[in-house]
Amino acid sequence: MEHSEFSLLNLALEAGPVVQAILLGLVIASVVSWAAIFDRIRILRQAKQAAESFEQRFWSGGDLSALYRQLGQNEEQSIGLAAIFRVGFKEYVRLRKTAQHDTMATIVGVERAMRVALSREIDRLETHLPYLATVGSTSPYVGLFGTVWGIMQAFHALGNMQQATLALVAPGISESLVATAIALFAAIPAVIAYNRFSSEVARLSNRYEEFMEEFSTLLQRQGND
Amino acid sequence: MMWESVRDYMRSLGWSLALHIVLVLMLLLGVNWRIQRDAAGGDAEERVIQAQMVNIDDLNLPPTKRELEEQARAEAEAAAQRRAKEQARAEAEASAQRRAEEQARAEAEAAERRRAEEQARREAEAAERRRAEEQARAEAQAAERRRAEEQARAEVQAAERRRAEEQARAEAEAAERRRAEEQARREAEAEERRRAEEQARREAEAAERRRAEEQARREAEAAERRRAEEQARAEAEAAERRRAEEQARAEAEAAERRRAEEQARREAEAEERRRAEEQARREAEAEERRRAEERAAQEQAARLQRLANQWVPAIQGRVSQFWIRPAGGAANAETVVSLRLNPGGEVVADSVRVVTSSGNPAFDASVIAAIYRASPLPVPDGEDFEPFRDFDFRFSP
């Protein structure tokens, strides 16, 4: 027993079974949340780049049907704005082929289809964000539970002693505080990442909606011509 | 699309795992670093230096090599200087001596010269004087001689006259003298004869007297010698007798002594034999007693062992029931405590003491607490209880 040797690993290995289980869960949560963070960084950067390149192509003044044909060739890779545009333009062409020439009805249909696509895209961007939120908000409580449990046990064992010195109390408390330390280690990156990612997703969502409005305005102008 | 997203997610998971493994490795390295620092810190704590005032002169520092060389050189120089001085002084002395000798010799020579001159002068003066005297004497002699010749001639004439008178008177005197001599010779011869007779008579008397004395002395000596021989014989006989008595007494005493010694030896041997028998009997008894004690001790040990085998596991089990594992592991810990029990197994208050600590104070304290809580312990009744009244107890979880 070397209480003087301060080491997170030693403390974790000497802790009781409940505390050890909590520590294991917290470590897994930390691993998964960091995986989600890396994944989101990649996805959001990809989405931003895709949106910029598509907007550039869209506003360069080319033919819309040509653009549509170009996008249709690699359907799988179209994400973000490109997916919304593809769905909207496909719906527009289909509605135009049917006999009705009611422009307003066509636009409404196109908008509805695009909103579905938008919602799907936003959903794709928001994957794992609730998990990060959960880890960030609950893991401190889980760690606190482990700490309380460990301190309870330490005080229970302390009941055997004739006189309770600081040297007898301190190791038990130190052991149990490891749980809080691990929990904070998992929670802090998760909270920061959640806040940042949700703001980025909101901005992208705004951008998509703007594009949707502008595209439907363009289609309405074409239909009235 | 779905598969791709899953694969990308797996890649992220891999990155995350790698990040955590790196963190854990950093922790492990940190552990090693800490241990080393702790060890270093421990050393530093033990090295306590107490400063105290010292007189700088008391600091008997060992001289450095340079100082030693310097000193050696200084000593060598001093020695050389000393030697040079010595030599210089010796040379100065020698030269002074030489100079003194030179001077002395010069002075001696001067003195010699002076003396020689003096002497020469004196001799010259003496010669001068002698010459003058000689001349004076020669002149005086010449005058004397002339006077002497004059006088001699006068005297010769007077002497001639006196010689004739003298001769006449001398012849008369010579005749007178011859007569007187003749008479004196006759008287002397008569006197001589008388004296010789007188002397011969005295001598004869003396010889007679001497012979008588000689004889008397010889007789006295013979008597003396006889008496001495007589006495010596008597003394020799007495001594002989005494010696014989002495010897007889000595032999008697020796015989007495031998007899006494003989008896003493016999008694000592008898005593010795008696003592040996006594001791052998005592040893035999002691041996017997020891064997009996050994047997008793063995029986006692066997009984204790049996009792221990029978009851210690029960006590261990009961203490284990009341033992609460202290914070921090106590896997291989083992503590030996001594405790006292009342009949019935009740632990005497404040009697539990740690004999051999496990090294972990928390573990020792938990064992002591468990023993107090486990009172009364399961122990036998009656005589079998005695070993458990005060005994050592080894506890390991």
Side-chain angles (χ1 to χ4, degrees):
Chain A
M1 283 290 279
E2 294 174 31
H3 292 299
S4 56
E5 184 186 326
F6 177 79
S7 155
L8 283 179
L9 278 181
N10 281 2
L11 290 179
L13 290 176
E14 285 175 7
V18 176
V19 178
Q20 274 182 343
I22 288 170
L23 288 181
L24 185 66
L26 285 173
V27 168
I28 290 173
S30 174
V31 170
V32 175
S33 78
W34 273 97
I37 288 167
F38 288 134
D39 190 47
R40 281 310 91 186
I41 288 173
R42 189 179 58 79
I43 293 281
L44 288 177
R45 196 173 53 216
Q46 209 176 354
K48 243 189 293 184
Q49 281 171 356
E52 274 169 16
S53 68
F54 182 78
E55 275 182 344
Q56 210 172 355
R57 277 166 71 186
F58 186 78
W59 298 113
S60 64
D63 188 9
L64 286 183
S65 52
L67 184 61
Y68 174 73
R69 271 198 302 280
Q70 217 173 352
L71 287 174
Q73 284 170 1
N74 43 5
E75 193 178 343
E76 295 294 323
Q77 286 168 3
S78 59
I79 54 166
L81 287 181
I84 292 169
F85 169 75
R86 227 166 52 82
V87 169
F89 196 75
K90 199 167 144 188
E91 188 65 24
Y92 174 71
V93 169
R94 199 186 303 144
L95 286 177
R96 281 286 295 270
K97 276 180 185 164
T98 56
Q100 305 170 359
H101 284 284
D102 185 359
T103 313
M104 272 320 289
T106 310
I107 293 302
V108 167
V110 167
E111 276 191 345
R112 199 180 295 125
M114 283 201 297
R115 199 160 290 281
V116 170
L118 171 74
S119 135
R120 200 186 300 129
E121 284 304 309
I122 294 295
D123 183 56
R124 196 176 69 85
L125 289 179
E126 278 183 341
T127 330
H128 299 318
L129 280 191
Y131 172 76
L132 283 180
T134 306
V135 169
S137 57
T138 60
S139 73
Y141 296 115
V142 176
L144 191 60
F145 170 66
T147 296
V148 168
W149 188 266
I151 289 180
M152 271 166 59
Q153 288 219 319
F155 276 114
H156 183 65
L158 204 61
N160 291 329
M161 309 301 167
Q162 252 101 25
Q163 71 256 31
T165 59
L166 192 62
L168 291 173
V169 185
I173 294 177
S174 178
E175 258 175 40
S176 44
L177 283 177
V178 172
T180 307
I182 300 283
L184 291 179
F185 174 76
I188 291 169
V191 171
I192 292 173
Y194 174 74
N195 286 337
R196 180 153 182 257
F197 293 154
S198 55
S199 77
E200 280 187 12
V201 167
R203 215 177 311 144
L204 273 175
S205 165
N206 273 345
R207 204 164 170 177
Y208 290 169
E209 278 183 22
E210 276 171 25
F211 171 77
M212 218 168 69
E213 294 297 327
E214 281 167 346
F215 185 49
S216 55
T217 311
L218 195 74
L219 287 180
Q220 195 172 11
R221 224 177 16 245
Q222 274 192 350
N224 287 342
D225 286 346
Chain B
M1 171 111 183
M2 195 62 201
W3 170 241
E4 194 178 335
S5 128
V6 166
R7 203 188 56 207
D8 285 338
Y9 185 74
M10 281 300 163
R11 197 188 295 158
S12 296
L13 197 63
W15 276 112
S16 170
L17 273 174
L19 174 73
H20 282 80
I21 286 169
V22 166
L23 282 173
V24 167
L25 281 177
M26 279 170 67
L27 268 177
L28 279 173
L29 287 177
V31 167
N32 288 337
W33 177 70
R34 268 203 100 95
I35 289 171
Q36 280 164 7
R37 207 185 55 181
D38 282 347
D43 279 346
E45 268 177 13
E46 283 168 11
R47 207 182 305 122
V48 176
I49 298 171
Q50 286 187 335
Q52 66 186 109
M53 290 288 287
V54 293
N55 188 356
I56 200 70
D57 293 333
D58 292 344
L59 273 178
N60 202 359
L61 289 175
T64 61
K65 194 177 168 191
R66 212 185 52 229
E67 279 172 355
L68 279 172
E69 286 174 3
E70 206 133 7
Q71 195 174 353
R73 209 171 53 231
E75 283 174 5
E77 281 177 6
Q81 217 164 358
R82 257 199 323 275
R83 253 198 324 272
K85 275 183 195 166
E86 196 102 14
Q87 195 172 356
R89 206 171 57 230
E91 284 176 4
E93 281 175 6
S95 72
Q97 209 168 357
R98 258 199 319 276
R99 244 193 336 266
E101 286 172 359
E102 194 92 19
Q103 194 172 357
R105 208 167 55 235
E107 286 174 356
E109 284 175 357
E112 184 73 21
R113 210 158 42 233
R114 261 198 316 276
R115 220 166 31 243
E117 286 171 0
E118 190 79 18
Q119 197 173 358
R121 207 175 60 237
R122 268 200 310 270
E123 285 175 355
E125 285 173 358
E128 187 66 24
R129 213 160 40 236
R130 259 195 322 272
R131 216 161 38 239
E133 286 171 0
E134 192 80 25
Q135 195 173 356
R137 208 169 51 233
E139 286 174 357
Q141 279 174 358
E144 186 70 23
R145 209 161 41 234
R146 265 189 323 269
R147 218 168 34 243
E149 285 171 1
E150 195 75 25
Q151 198 173 355
R153 224 166 30 244
E155 281 175 0
V156 164
Q157 290 169 1
E160 197 63 34
R161 256 183 334 265
R162 259 194 321 267
R163 210 161 41 231
E165 292 168 2
E166 194 79 28
Q167 195 169 359
R169 205 176 49 233
E171 282 173 357
E173 282 175 2
E176 183 68 22
R177 207 164 38 235
R178 264 192 313 271
R179 249 186 341 265
E181 280 172 6
E182 188 71 23
Q183 192 176 352
R185 201 177 62 234
R186 274 194 305 272
E187 285 175 1
E189 280 174 356
E191 181 68 19
E192 183 70 22
R193 241 182 346 266
R194 230 180 10 256
R195 241 200 335 269
E197 284 168 3
E198 185 74 18
Q199 192 171 358
R201 201 184 62 238
R202 268 205 307 274
E203 282 176 359
E205 283 175 359
E208 184 65 23
R209 207 167 37 245
R210 266 205 307 280
R211 223 175 13 255
E213 284 172 2
E214 185 75 18
Q215 189 172 359
R217 202 178 66 236
R218 267 205 301 275
E219 284 172 358
E221 282 177 357
E224 182 68 21
R225 204 157 46 236
R226 268 198 308 279
R227 212 172 35 248
E229 283 171 1
E230 192 74 23
Q231 192 175 354
R233 205 171 52 243
E235 284 176 356
E237 284 173 358
E240 182 67 25
R241 222 173 18 251
R242 269 204 307 281
R243 206 160 49 240
E245 286 170 0
E246 190 77 23
Q247 192 172 359
R249 208 173 55 239
E251 283 174 355
E253 283 176 358
E256 182 66 22
R257 206 157 49 233
R258 268 202 307 280
R259 234 186 354 265
E261 283 171 1
E262 185 72 20
Q263 187 170 0
R265 205 179 63 238
R266 271 203 303 277
E267 284 174 358
E269 282 174 356
E271 178 71 18
E272 182 67 24
R273 220 162 29 240
R274 220 166 35 244
R275 249 207 320 276
E277 284 167 2
E278 183 76 16
Q279 190 170 359
R281 205 180 62 239
R282 269 207 304 278
E283 280 175 0
E285 283 173 359
E287 179 70 19
E288 184 65 25
R289 211 156 44 233
R290 207 166 49 241
R291 264 208 299 279
E293 279 168 5
E294 251 170 50
R295 255 201 318 278
Q298 275 168 7
E299 281 170 7
Q300 179 73 9
R303 196 168 69 90
L304 282 181
Q305 188 61 43
R306 208 172 54 243
L307 281 174
N309 288 342
Q310 192 177 353
W311 293 97
V312 167
I315 294 171
Q316 175 106 29
R318 185 163 169 86
V319 172
S320 291
Q321 280 174 7
F322 286 90
W323 182 61
I324 297 169
R325 178 181 291 275
N332 297 322
E334 185 181 83
T335 297
V336 178
V337 295
S338 85
L339 53 130
R340 278 188 286 134
L341 299 182
N342 287 329
E346 194 184 342
V347 180
V348 175
D350 279 344
S351 68
V352 184
R353 298 269 181 279
V354 175
V355 176
T356 306
S357 173
S358 62
N360 178 3
F363 179 78
D364 296 345
S366 74
V367 172
I368 292 174
I371 289 171
Y372 283 129
R373 223 171 296 140
S375 173
L377 298 174
V379 290
D381 294 331
E383 198 183 337
D384 287 348
F385 169 71
E386 290 307 319
F388 292 97
R389 195 174 280 281
D390 189 350
F391 73 110
D392 288 353
F393 174 63
R394 181 185 302 275
F395 183 84
S396 56

